[in-house]
Amino acid sequence: MTTHTQNHATSEYAPEHPARLQWAQLAPDVYKAMVRLDAASRKGLDPTLLELVKVRASQLNHCAFCLDMHSKDAIAAGESVERIVQLSAWQESLHFYTEKELAAIELTEAVTILTDGFVPDEVYAKAAKQFEEAELAQLIASITVINAWNRFGVTCRLAPGHHTPGSH
């Protein structure tokens, strides 16, 4: 499989920027704790829905590294390219998603963009209607974890294009 990065060397694309900091190597205990937290937060959640949530949070946070990873993981898990592409305009593409997915996507936006204020009651209520309490708790944990990963990726400017599904 040819990736963008492999084509990159012989094309007119801009050069890839190096990461600012290899935080995972420099803070291995934090990295390992994040991996464990990520694994714990996924329990009981549909893997496809979880990847949609991770892609949407990564879009909002402008984390190219995580967008690369979770788009590839979503496709490897059977998600369609069309639904991933439409995710950035989900409010105009409601018919691509189930009510449960829409509730998760809307909750993801509310939790991710806290500068707009608290998570609105109506957004939380929609999610609470679609998810059992334990599942909702896991979803909130997963949204929180992807936001933490995004912050590491954006701050350290981790370069996208190198992820292979199943490698993490």
Side-chain angles (χ1 to χ4, degrees), residues 83-117:
R83 284 176 20 115
I84 294 168
V85 169
Q86 290 301 315
L87 195 54
S88 65
W90 68 270
Q91 291 166 320
E92 298 296 323
S93 306
L94 298 176
H95 60 286
F96 283 80
Y97 307 100
T98 67
E99 289 300 316
K100 189 171 188 173
E101 290 167 339
L102 290 168
I105 293 164
E106 191 170 4
L107 184 63
T108 298
E109 288 196 5
V111 172
T112 300
I113 308 172
L114 290 176
T115 54
D116 288 349

Side-chain angles (χ1 to χ4, degrees), residues 35-47 50 54 131-142 145:
V35 169
R36 288 191 306 274
L37 183 61
D38 190 72
S41 73
R42 303 171 197 227
K43 291 186 177 169
L45 292 176
D46 175 80
L50 190 55
K54 289 180 177 191
F131 294 87
E132 298 293 328
E133 276 190 334
E135 191 180 21
L136 182 58
Q138 290 297 125
L139 177 61
I140 293 166
S142 291
V145 171

